[in-house]
């Protein structure tokens, strides 16, 4: 079998076939602004399956159920805080931190 190079097109192809030719192509390609940062149902399903798999694996490995719930709860808290911070929810983050500090102080 011969590995000959493919012929190159005679004219340069456009970098992006976006509907708006006036808008410059972004580093992400032709995605609308903010589309890559959205947390959609597919992402939620993937996380649900990952958490179920992790929890089952830990339980089958002999980890106590209370420890499994503590680990998964910690992972969920870190993930929620990361999504809140990345999504621009600084006000929500401030309220959550304030609530955590007040509950820790016993107020």
């Amino acid at each position: 079998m011969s590995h000959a190079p493919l012929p190159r097109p005679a004219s340069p192809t456009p970098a992006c076939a976006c509907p708006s030719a006036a808008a410059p192509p972004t580093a992400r390609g032709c995605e609308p602004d903010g589309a890559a940062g959205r947390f959609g149902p597919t992402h939620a399903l993937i996380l649900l399956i990952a958490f179920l798999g992790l929890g089952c694996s830990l339980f089958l490995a002999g980890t106590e159920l209370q420890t499994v719930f503590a680990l998964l709860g910690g992972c969920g808290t870190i993930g929620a805080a990361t999504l809140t911070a990345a999504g621009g929810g600084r006000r929500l983050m401030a309220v959550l931190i304030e609530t955590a500090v007040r509950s820790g102080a016993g107020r």
Side-chain angles (χ1 to χ4, degrees):
M1 180 181 267
S2 172
H3 294 288
L6 296 174
R8 297 184 141 242
S11 63
T13 57
C16 182
C18 297
S20 172
T26 62
R28 293 187 315 259
C30 298
E31 296 175 358
D33 292 335
R38 292 195 184 128
F39 183 76
T42 305
H43 299 103
L45 180 63
I46 290 169
L47 284 175
L48 177 67
I49 292 170
F51 269 73
L52 289 173
L54 180 62
C56 289
S57 299
L58 287 171
F59 182 71
L60 292 174
T63 309
E64 293 180 15
L65 198 56
Q66 184 177 2
T67 307
V68 172
F69 287 144
L71 288 171
L72 293 180
C75 288
T77 303
I78 291 170
T82 303
L83 286 174
T84 302
R90 289 180 181 84
R91 183 175 176 191
L92 176 62
M93 182 74 100
V95 169
L96 291 175
I97 291 173
E98 181 182 352
T99 305
V101 169
R102 286 185 183 199
S103 68
R107 292 187 193 179

